Amino acid sequence: MSGQSLLVPGELSPTRSVPGNIRRPEYVGRPSPKPYTGPEVQTPETIEAMRVAGRIAAQAMAEAAKLIAPGVTTDELDKVAHAYMCDHGAYPSTLGYRGFPKSLCTSLNEVICHGIPDSTVLRDGDIINLDVTAYIGGVHGDNNATYLVGAVDEESRLLVERTRESLNRAIKAVKPGRQINIIGRVIESYAKRFGYGVVRDFTGHGINSSFHSGLIIPHYDSPQATTVMQPGMTFTIEPMLTLGTHEYDMWDDGWTVVTKDRKRTAQFEHTLVVTETGAEILTLP
């Protein structure tokens, strides 16, 4: 694995503004969102709105990813994604969610998830996950991907490639009538072939008008995940695989989650809707 030094928190830039004409999620300005009490199966109108939100989120992530290179700060990536979403009439869902201060998550190297963009400078050999969610039309679209920064060592490159493949395999396992735990079973069995850890305490989730509806999508074979998939259900799958342990520590910021052994980790995510025959990805640029 790369011999990069471990990350430390950087300096935060001022909060970015969102034009006043852009609709905010209900949780903005509040300590936490209202509990979701609606259905997990969505109407065709809601699903169509989620296609719009998903496309914007995917394209905002792609635009930010164009900047990824040694010497670029994670705050610069946040600036690009923020501007893209606002320019397309969408609110950056993470901005103000439970107090999160930025418009996407940037998780580098040993950061499992929820890294906060700041003055941290990307280095040659890093890997970085961008996690972008857009809110428009009253619904959210959520996606993430891990990118290589410059020349990355083979062990890290394979981790990224195989984490992407674990998501692809999980999506193929989505079928109406199957229990949710088939998703985690597919991911965990694939990850075990390479000795990877599978993060257990951070999961996929239901998503619709709510950022996190309460439906949980584990990435390991959980006997509790017995909910049966039905056409029209919308949720994310977002496996987090590690080169070592699945256990974690959290920084004092209350957001940044790092592997306990500080080994590297990768993640990929799509928002999906269950169809009559499988799954449709809603977060494609």
Side-chain angles (χ1 to χ4, degrees):
M1 190 183 76
S2 169
Q4 298 276 37
S5 58
L6 297 180
L7 293 167
V8 295
E11 296 294 323
L12 286 179
S13 65
T15 301
R16 295 192 159 88
S17 62
V18 176
N21 64 316
I22 292 177
R23 179 179 174 184
R24 271 75 169 153
E26 55 82 19
Y27 53 75
V28 174
R30 302 174 63 238
S32 61
K34 295 176 183 176
Y36 178 71
T37 57
E40 298 298 346
V41 173
Q42 304 305 309
T43 65
E45 293 76 18
T46 296
I47 293 166
E48 180 53 37
M50 290 181 68
R51 288 190 185 98
V52 175
R55 281 195 295 269
I56 292 173
Q59 194 58 46
M61 184 173 72
E63 289 299 310
K66 290 177 183 177
L67 249 67
I68 291 174
V72 174
T73 68
T74 55
D75 188 65
E76 290 174 83
L77 304 177
D78 181 79
K79 181 179 179 181
V80 170
H82 178 94
Y84 186 93
M85 285 185 273
C86 291
D87 288 348
H88 289 79
Y91 186 90
S93 300
T94 60
L95 185 61
Y97 179 78
R98 298 185 182 272
F100 192 84
K102 292 296 175 181
S103 298
L104 81 163
C105 300
T106 50
S107 300
L108 274 159
N109 299 340
E110 69 268 24
V111 179
I112 294 171
C113 57
H114 304 159
I116 301 174
D118 58 19
S119 61
T120 299
V121 176
L122 301 183
R123 304 163 296 182
D124 188 60
D126 283 341
I127 60 174
I128 181 171
N129 179 273
L130 304 185
D131 193 337
V132 181
T133 310
Y135 178 79
I136 188 171
V139 297
H140 301 267
D142 185 5
N143 69 161
N144 76 55
T146 303
Y147 299 88
L148 310 182
V149 184
V152 174
D153 67 275
E154 182 73 356
E155 186 179 36
S156 298
R157 186 189 65 77
L158 286 172
L159 173 68
V160 171
E161 180 181 300
R162 290 164 176 166
T163 305
R164 182 191 293 110
E165 175 63 15
S166 77
L167 173 59
N168 292 340
R169 289 175 179 232
I171 291 171
K172 289 176 182 176
V174 172
K175 295 281 190 304
R178 288 181 170 177
Q179 293 183 343
I180 289 290
N181 57 15
I182 186 65
I183 294 169
R185 190 176 308 141
V186 166
I187 292 167
E188 186 173 40
S189 63
Y190 179 71
K192 279 184 173 179
R193 288 167 51 181
F194 311 104
Y196 296 153
V198 180
V199 172
R200 302 168 77 89
D201 293 312
F202 299 90
T203 67
H205 52 88
I207 184 169
N208 38 65
S209 60
S210 173
F211 195 171
H212 299 86
S213 73
L215 177 66
I216 294 173
I217 312 295
H219 302 120
Y220 63 99
D221 188 4
S222 169
Q224 283 78 43
T226 56
T227 299
V228 175
M229 292 182 267
Q230 303 174 58
M233 286 180 71
T234 50
F235 52 81
T236 72
I237 303 176
E238 44 189 299
M240 293 152 260
L241 305 187
T242 71
L243 289 176
T245 183
H246 68 270
E247 296 180 345
Y248 67 93
D249 294 319
M250 187 175 286
W251 283 4
D252 292 342
D253 60 23
W255 283 105
T256 307
V257 179
V258 296
T259 54
K260 188 170 280 291
D261 56 13
R262 302 305 190 264
K263 291 185 177 181
R264 287 188 167 187
T265 175
Q267 182 183 15
F268 284 84
E269 173 188 23
H270 275 305
T271 295
L272 311 169
V273 59
V274 180
T275 68
E276 295 292 341
T277 57
E280 176 192 345
I281 298 172
L282 299 178
T283 38
L284 291 175

